[in-house]
Amino acid sequence: MLFVYFLIINLSVPQESTYKIVNYHARKIIYYPRQEKVILLDSATVKYGELKVIADSIEYDISKKTLSAFKNVYFTTATEIIQGQALFYNITTKKGYMVNAQTKLENGFVYGENAWLVKTKTLHIRNGYYTTCEHNPPHYYFYSPKSKVLIDNTAFAEPVILKIFGTPCAIAPFWFFPVSKQRKSGLLPFKFGQSKSEGRYAKGIAYYLVLNDYSDITFSCDILEKKGIQPKIEFIYLINPLASGQMFLSYIRELDTKRQRYSINAKHRSVFLLNSELNSYIDFQSDESYMPDYPENRAQWLKKELYSQATLSREIKKIGRLGLRVERKDDFRTNVINWKLPGFSFNFHRLPISKNWNLSPGISYLRIKNISYPNNRKRIYHANNWTTRLAIANPNTFLGNFDVPINFSFDLIDDNYTDSLRLQFHKFQAGSGFSLSQVIFYSLSLSQALDYNQTITYRERNSYFDAQLKLNLGASINLYRLFGISLGALNKVLHRMTPQVNINYTPQMKSYRYIFYPRFDTTPNTADICFSINNLFEGKFKATTERRELLAINARGSYDIRTKNFTPINIEGNFYLLSQPNAKFATNVGFSLPSNISRPRIKDLNINTNFNWEWLKKDTVNLQERGFKISVNHFFSASSEGNLVITNNMLNLVLSIIPRGARFDFSSGINFKEYNKIANYHLTIWKDLHCWEAIIEVNRFGKLWSYDFKVRIKKIPDVSFSKGMLDFILPY
C-alpha cells in the first residue's frame, strides 16, 4: 500500500537565510546518501522559497543543488506558472531549461519547444508561438523560431509568422507586445497599411513611458509615404483628488503641400493653493481641415468650431469667492475669433446689516476682443467693462421677499477697421430698482419689480444721456383637480393647470438737464400683457403606485396695449402615448395661431415624434446581450417668410439587431424634402470569430463618405487584416 512520506532537509547555512531551506515531498521517496541524491516519485513536489516545482517524478542533487523533473511539470513562482514535460534547474544560479514549455500571460498563451530561464523572469524560447486562443490546437498563433519573454513586461520575437489553422498568412521581420499585468514602460505594437492619400504607412510607432503611479506619457509617430512623419505626444495624469488631466499634441510638415499643420488638445482640473480650483480646456489646430484630413472619429468630419477656456476660482472663508477666466472661440464658418481675456470677478458672501437685512456686493472686469472680416475688411473690436454690484435683500418683510439691486458699470470701446475707420467711445451706466414676491395660500404667487438704468456715453468730446424705466407685475396660481377615470390599468388622472399673467410697461423718458423722469402722457415704449396657461395631466395606475405624465399642453401669447393687438399665440403639446421600461412613444406638437382669431390659420408648425423599443436578453454563458433595439425619430416643420413656405421633413432611424455571436447597427437620416434623399447613414456589422472578430463599417455625412472592413484579434486589436492593406486598388 502506498503511503505519503514527508521529509525536510535543512542545508547547513546561516539561520537568517530561510531561502536555503529546501522542502520536498512525494508518495515515494528514495534517498541515496553517498551520491547525495533524492528521487521523488508520484506527485513529487520541491519548494525553495517562492519557487515551487511539481511533477510526476523529480531527481534532486543535494551537492550540486540541481533538480530534474519529468512529465507534467509545473514550475511556479510568486506570480507565474510554467508548464512543460521536462525541467532541468539550478537552485543556486536560478537558471534552467524546460522542454515543451507553456505559460499563460495577461492576454494569451506562450508555447516553446525549448525554453531557457536564463535569469529571473527572463525566458529564451526556440520554436515557439503566442496565441490568445484557448483551443488546443489553437485557431491561430504567431510562430517564431527565436523569441525572448520578459515575464510581467514585454515579449520580443524575430521573425514572426502569423498562422491561421496552420497556414502562414503574414510575416514580419520582428514583433513585440506587452505581457504585463501592470503599467510598464516599453514599446507598443504598430500597424502597416496603404491608402491613396497617404501611400504606404506605418502608424502608431510608439513608446509608452510610465513616469510614476499617477502619470504616463506616450511618444508616437505615423510614417506616411506621401505626407511625411507625424509625431504625437499624449500625456495623462490622475492624482485624486488633487488633479487630473490629459494633453495631446500632433504635428506634421506635409511633403506634398509643404504646409506645417498641428493640433493641441488638453484639459486640466486641479485643487491647490488653499482650495483654489483650476479648470481648463484647450482646443487649437492650425487650420479648419486638419481634423477632417487626419480624423480620429466620424464626429471630427464636421468640426467647425474650436473652444478654449481656463477658469481659476478660490473660496475665501467668511468673505467671498474670487474668479479669473480666459476664453477663446474660433468659428471657421464665419471666420470670427472671439477672445475674453481676462475676466475677473469677486462676489462677497452675504453681509448682515441689520435684522433680516443683508448685503451681497460684487465686482467684475471683462476684456473682450473680436476679430472678424466683414466684406473682406479686417475688424478688431475691443471692449473693457468694469462692473460693481450691490444687492440689499430681506426675505421676510411684511410685503414678502424684498430685493434691491444696485449696479454701476463702465465700458471703454474701440472699434477699429483696417481702412482707418475707427470708433472710440466711453459708456457709464448706473441702475437700481426693487423686486417683491409673495406666496399666498401656498398656491398664488405674486411679483412686482421696478428697474431704472441711466447711461452716459462720451464720444469725440460729446456726451449723450439716456435712461430707461421698466415696470413688471406678475401673478400665477396652481389649480388641481382629480378625475376618477378608470380605463384599463389607468386608475385616476390628476390635472394641474397653472395660468400666469405678466404686465410689462416701459414709459418714454424726459430729461431735465441730467435728471430723467417718466412720461405717462404719451405712448410708452412698451406696454404689453403676457399670459400663459400650462396644463399637465398625470395618470396613476392600478398595479403600482406609479404616477406618469400623460399629456402636457401649454399656450402663451401677449397683448400689445399700444396697438390693441394680440401677438401670435404659441401652443405646444407633449403627448406621452407609451411609457414602459422597454418601450416609449411620444409626440411633441408646436404651432402658432395668428392674432386675428376670426381667421385662424396655423403657422410655424413643428411636429417631433419619437419611438423607442428594445428587447434584450442577457446570455449567461458569455455575458453578452441578445435581442434588438429600434429608435425612430420624425421631424416635420413648416414656416412662412412672406409668400415663401419653408418646410423640413426628416426621418432618423437607429436599428440594432444582436443575434448570438453577431451584431448589426444601422443609423440613417432621410430627407423627404430632397426627393427622399438619404442625408447620412452609418452601418456596422460585427461577427464573433471566437478569438477573432470581423467588422465592416460604412459612413456618410452629406458629401463625405468612407468605408472600412477588418478582421482582427479581439485581445490584440492592432493585429488586423483591413481595407488599408488593399486601399491602393480599392475605390475611395
Side-chain angles (χ1 to χ4, degrees):
M1 184 177 67
L2 296 176
F3 59 91
V4 177
Y5 293 92
F6 182 79
L7 178 63
I8 300 178
I9 297 180
N10 187 351
L11 304 179
S12 55
V13 295
Q15 291 294 327
E16 65 272 15
S17 181
T18 59
Y19 284 91
K20 296 296 183 179
I21 299 177
V22 178
N23 303 293
Y24 55 86
H25 67 85
R27 289 182 177 271
K28 186 176 182 179
I29 300 177
I30 303 173
Y31 177 52
Y32 298 95
R34 288 186 178 182
Q35 292 87 354
E36 295 187 278
K37 289 185 179 180
V38 178
I39 307 297
L40 308 175
L41 302 174
D42 195 357
S43 303
T45 302
V46 174
K47 186 176 181 182
Y48 181 73
E50 293 184 346
L51 184 149
K52 186 177 181 181
V53 178
I54 302 174
D56 286 359
S57 62
I58 299 176
E59 178 183 311
Y60 177 56
D61 190 318
I62 299 175
S63 60
K64 295 181 180 180
K65 300 180 181 61
T66 61
L67 61 85
S68 303
F70 305 94
K71 285 189 178 181
N72 300 319
V73 180
Y74 291 87
F75 179 85
T76 68
T77 66
T79 58
E80 304 296 333
I81 300 177
I82 303 175
Q83 183 182 359
Q85 291 302 310
L87 170 69
F88 306 93
Y89 185 76
N90 189 303
I91 293 177
T92 303
T93 62
K94 296 183 179 180
K95 296 181 180 180
Y97 164 73
M98 182 175 280
V99 179
N100 294 332
Q102 56 183 333
T103 183
K104 188 178 187 306
L105 302 178
E106 176 67 11
N107 290 321
F109 308 88
V110 170
Y111 167 83
E113 185 178 297
N114 299 291
W116 286 266
L117 184 65
V118 296
K119 60 181 179 180
T120 304
K121 293 189 175 183
T122 302
L123 288 175
H124 285 180
I125 299 175
R126 295 293 181 269
N127 296 325
Y129 66 76
Y130 170 79
T131 182
T132 61
C133 180
E134 68 273 11
H135 278 215
N136 190 16
H139 294 159
Y140 84 96
Y141 55 87
F142 293 94
Y143 168 78
S144 176
K146 180 182 177 182
S147 57
K148 179 180 180 180
V149 178
L150 304 179
I151 297 176
D152 199 27
N153 198 322
T154 308
F156 304 87
E158 59 175 2
V160 175
I161 302 173
L162 172 60
K163 294 187 177 183
I164 301 177
F165 294 107
T167 303
C169 296
I171 185 171
F174 68 92
W175 200 255
F176 53 88
F177 49 89
V179 294
S180 174
K181 297 179 181 179
Q182 299 178 347
R183 297 163 59 243
K184 295 281 187 179
S185 299
L187 297 171
L188 299 177
F190 54 92
K191 60 182 178 180
F192 298 98
Q194 185 169 341
S195 69
K196 291 183 176 66
S197 60
E198 299 172 339
R200 290 184 292 268
Y201 61 74
K203 293 185 178 182
I205 303 175
Y207 182 80
Y208 176 71
L209 177 62
V210 178
L211 301 177
N212 48 48
D213 292 341
Y214 314 104
S215 61
D216 52 61
I217 187 170
T218 303
F219 301 94
S220 65
C221 74
D222 296 343
I223 302 177
L224 314 174
E225 180 185 21
K226 295 183 179 180
K227 293 294 185 180
I229 299 177
Q230 185 181 34
K232 303 176 183 179
I233 298 176
E234 184 176 17
F235 176 52
I236 299 176
Y237 52 95
L238 177 60
I239 311 174
N240 283 330
L242 299 178
S244 65
Q246 64 183 51
M247 178 177 65
F248 182 80
L249 310 175
S250 65
Y251 169 85
I252 188 170
R253 188 180 186 276
E254 296 179 336
L255 296 176
D256 52 352
T257 65
K258 307 301 180 183
R259 290 192 299 169
Q260 298 188 52
R261 309 179 71 186
Y262 54 87
S263 70
I264 303 173
N265 186 276
K267 59 182 178 181
H268 171 83
R269 180 201 63 82
S270 62
V271 179
F272 65 102
L273 295 177
L274 302 176
N275 293 325
S276 296
E277 297 179 9
L278 175 62
N279 290 278
S280 61
Y281 179 80
I282 297 174
D283 189 8
F284 192 73
Q285 63 189 44
S286 56
D287 55 87
E288 175 185 358
S289 60
Y290 182 83
M291 282 304 177
D293 289 347
Y294 301 94
E296 296 292 334
N297 53 61
R298 285 192 306 146
Q300 294 175 334
W301 285 357
L302 301 179
K303 188 174 182 179
K304 298 298 182 182
E305 289 184 353
L306 297 177
Y307 179 75
S308 303
Q309 64 88 19
T311 302
L312 176 64
S313 61
R314 181 188 172 189
E315 184 75 22
I316 302 177
K317 291 184 178 180
K318 299 181 180 180
I319 299 179
R321 189 170 189 85
L322 173 67
L324 298 173
R325 184 178 182 87
V326 177
E327 183 178 315
R328 171 173 170 148
K329 181 179 179 182
D330 294 58
D331 193 329
F332 295 125
R333 292 165 297 190
T334 59
N335 198 20
V336 175
I337 301 176
N338 296 314
W339 277 98
K340 293 182 180 179
L341 175 68
F344 162 84
S345 65
F346 190 88
N347 295 310
F348 291 87
H349 293 316
R350 289 188 175 184
L351 307 176
I353 54 179
S354 66
K355 183 179 180 181
N356 293 330
W357 289 91
N358 53 68
L359 181 68
S360 300
I363 185 172
S364 65
Y365 167 76
L366 179 62
R367 182 176 183 269
I368 298 174
K369 179 181 179 181
N370 295 339
I371 302 176
S372 59
Y373 298 87
N375 301 321
N376 295 322
R377 302 163 62 198
K378 185 177 181 180
R379 178 189 181 188
I380 302 177
Y381 176 86
H382 287 276
N384 295 270
N385 172 265
W386 292 265
T387 301
T388 301
R389 299 176 302 277
L390 296 174
I392 302 173
N394 185 342
N396 297 314
T397 67
F398 70 97
L399 293 176
N401 189 0
F402 184 75
D403 287 289
V404 180
I406 303 173
N407 300 296
F408 300 93
S409 67
F410 176 74
D411 293 272
L412 175 60
I413 299 173
D414 186 352
D415 200 353
N416 190 7
Y417 290 82
T418 53
D419 55 3
S420 301
L421 176 62
R422 188 171 187 177
L423 303 175
Q424 290 182 312
F425 51 92
H426 303 163
K427 183 186 293 185
F428 177 79
Q429 289 183 312
S432 184
F434 71 87
S435 66
L436 284 167
S437 62
Q438 306 87 27
V439 178
I440 302 174
F441 301 125
Y442 303 99
S443 181
L444 177 62
S445 298
L446 303 175
S447 64
Q448 309 85 37
L450 182 146
D451 292 306
Y452 176 81
N453 287 278
Q454 184 163 333
T455 304
I456 305 175
T457 303
Y458 296 94
R459 178 184 171 189
E460 297 178 354
R461 298 182 181 180
N462 295 317
S463 59
Y464 306 90
F465 294 83
D466 192 15
Q468 187 178 61
L469 178 69
K470 293 182 179 180
L471 299 171
N472 176 270
L473 299 175
S476 66
I477 188 171
N478 291 319
L479 304 174
Y480 298 89
R481 182 172 181 180
L482 186 64
F483 297 92
I485 299 176
S486 181
L487 180 62
L490 184 64
N491 188 21
K492 294 180 181 179
V493 174
L494 176 65
H495 175 209
R496 184 182 69 189
M497 183 173 64
T498 307
Q500 183 174 351
V501 178
N502 282 278
I503 301 175
N504 301 300
Y505 185 81
T506 304
Q508 294 190 27
M509 305 296 291
K510 185 176 181 179
S511 63
Y512 178 74
R513 294 186 178 180
Y514 306 112
I515 301 175
F516 286 81
Y517 57 90
R519 293 186 58 184
F520 297 103
D521 58 344
T522 186
T523 303
N525 290 328
T526 61
D528 52 49
I529 301 175
C530 300
F531 53 86
S532 65
I533 300 177
N534 299 329
N535 294 274
L536 177 63
F537 295 86
E538 292 183 338
K540 187 176 181 181
F541 296 84
K542 297 177 182 178
T544 63
T545 58
E546 176 192 8
R547 287 199 321 177
R548 193 170 70 232
E549 294 183 356
L550 302 175
L551 172 65
I553 300 178
N554 305 318
R556 62 183 182 275
S558 64
Y559 175 76
D560 194 327
I561 300 176
R562 300 171 305 168
T563 61
K564 298 181 180 180
N565 287 323
F566 285 94
T567 60
I569 299 174
N570 298 310
I571 299 176
E572 181 180 4
N574 291 289
F575 303 87
Y576 307 98
L577 305 176
L578 179 64
S579 181
Q580 297 295 332
N582 66 328
K584 298 184 184 298
F585 186 24
T587 297
N588 173 270
V589 179
F591 59 90
S592 62
L593 294 175
S595 56
N596 189 353
I597 309 259
S598 61
R599 298 178 60 188
R601 185 168 60 93
I602 294 178
K603 296 180 60 178
D604 300 327
L605 176 64
N606 293 278
I607 303 175
N608 195 347
T609 303
N610 290 281
F611 173 73
N612 298 278
W613 185 26
E614 64 180 38
W615 180 85
L616 296 175
K617 184 178 180 181
K618 197 78 169 182
D619 191 330
T620 57
V621 177
N622 53 22
L623 301 180
Q624 292 183 351
E625 289 183 336
R626 287 188 297 141
F628 67 88
K629 296 189 291 184
I630 184 171
S631 175
V632 181
N633 170 260
H634 178 258
F635 176 75
F636 175 83
S637 67
S639 59
S640 59
E641 294 183 4
N643 295 325
L644 180 64
V645 178
I646 301 174
T647 61
N648 289 297
N649 193 355
M650 192 78 181
L651 177 69
N652 293 295
L653 170 68
V654 178
L655 175 65
S656 297
I657 302 175
I658 314 171
R660 185 188 298 273
R663 183 183 180 108
F664 303 88
D665 292 308
F666 177 77
S667 62
S668 177
I670 303 175
N671 191 343
F672 293 109
K673 180 184 176 183
E674 299 292 335
Y675 306 102
N676 302 335
K677 184 178 180 181
I678 298 177
N680 62 78
Y681 56 79
H682 172 69
L683 172 66
T684 300
I685 301 175
W686 175 85
K687 182 67 176 72
D688 185 13
L689 303 175
H690 186 243
C691 47
W692 290 71
E693 60 184 0
I695 301 173
I696 300 175
E697 286 188 300
V698 181
N699 299 291
R700 179 178 176 179
F701 271 145
K703 296 182 179 180
L704 298 174
W705 78 285
S706 70
Y707 69 100
D708 193 12
F709 55 85
K710 64 181 67 176
V711 179
R712 67 188 183 189
I713 301 173
K714 288 181 183 178
K715 295 184 178 180
I716 317 176
D718 289 325
V719 179
S720 64
F721 297 94
S722 65
K723 165 181 170 287
M725 307 177 88
L726 303 172
D727 203 30
F728 63 100
I729 61 173
L730 294 174
Y732 286 101

